Amino acid sequence: MTEPTPEQTAAAQRKGLDVHHAARLRGTTAEELDADADAFLAEIATFAPPPPAPPRSGGPRGGDVDGHGSGSVAAGAELYRSRNPRDEDNEAKRPARPWWRANGYRFEGGR
């Protein structure tokens, strides 16, 4: 891009344009440069950036997440236990040793 003339730079400063846009201005007199600067400002005003998107809320939340509970770890653990009861009968049937030892499997790394 060519360097702006002092007249172009002065017109750009009078109209509040960035100095980098001064070389774009066309005209031989100060009035013509000012008119071109006004036209340029009107042209770039139509290309305004879109408004920012509203902040995301994270979506709907459950009743126990909105702070309606006591909010402690103990309250969360109690809620989990109430929703997921233990199966006492099935726990008695589990082998005392892990399955790989119950089946006689040995790790090759020792142990």
Side-chain angles (χ1 to χ4, degrees):
M1 185 173 224
T2 62
E3 291 292 321
T5 64
E7 294 82 13
Q8 288 173 322
T9 305
Q13 288 176 345
R14 279 194 303 272
K15 295 299 180 173
L17 282 172
D18 192 43
V19 179
H20 296 93
H21 295 131
R24 180 247 177 251
L25 300 178
R26 300 289 178 255
T28 54
T29 65
E31 292 80 21
E32 289 175 351
L33 289 170
D34 286 344
D36 193 34
D38 289 334
F40 180 63
L41 284 171
E43 185 179 323
I44 64 173
T46 60
F47 294 107
R56 299 172 81 182
S57 68
R61 299 173 187 262
D64 56 336
V65 177
D66 285 333
H68 298 295
S70 65
S72 68
V73 173
E78 183 59 37
L79 181 63
Y80 177 82
R81 282 195 288 285
S82 69
R83 291 182 179 174
N84 301 292
R86 295 179 72 178
D87 186 7
E88 300 292 336
D89 294 331
N90 194 22
E91 287 183 11
K93 297 175 187 172
R94 288 188 188 161
R97 298 186 307 170
W99 64 268
W100 63 85
R101 288 199 179 146
N103 293 335
Y105 179 80
R106 293 179 159 264
F107 285 109
E108 295 178 11
R111 295 183 155 198

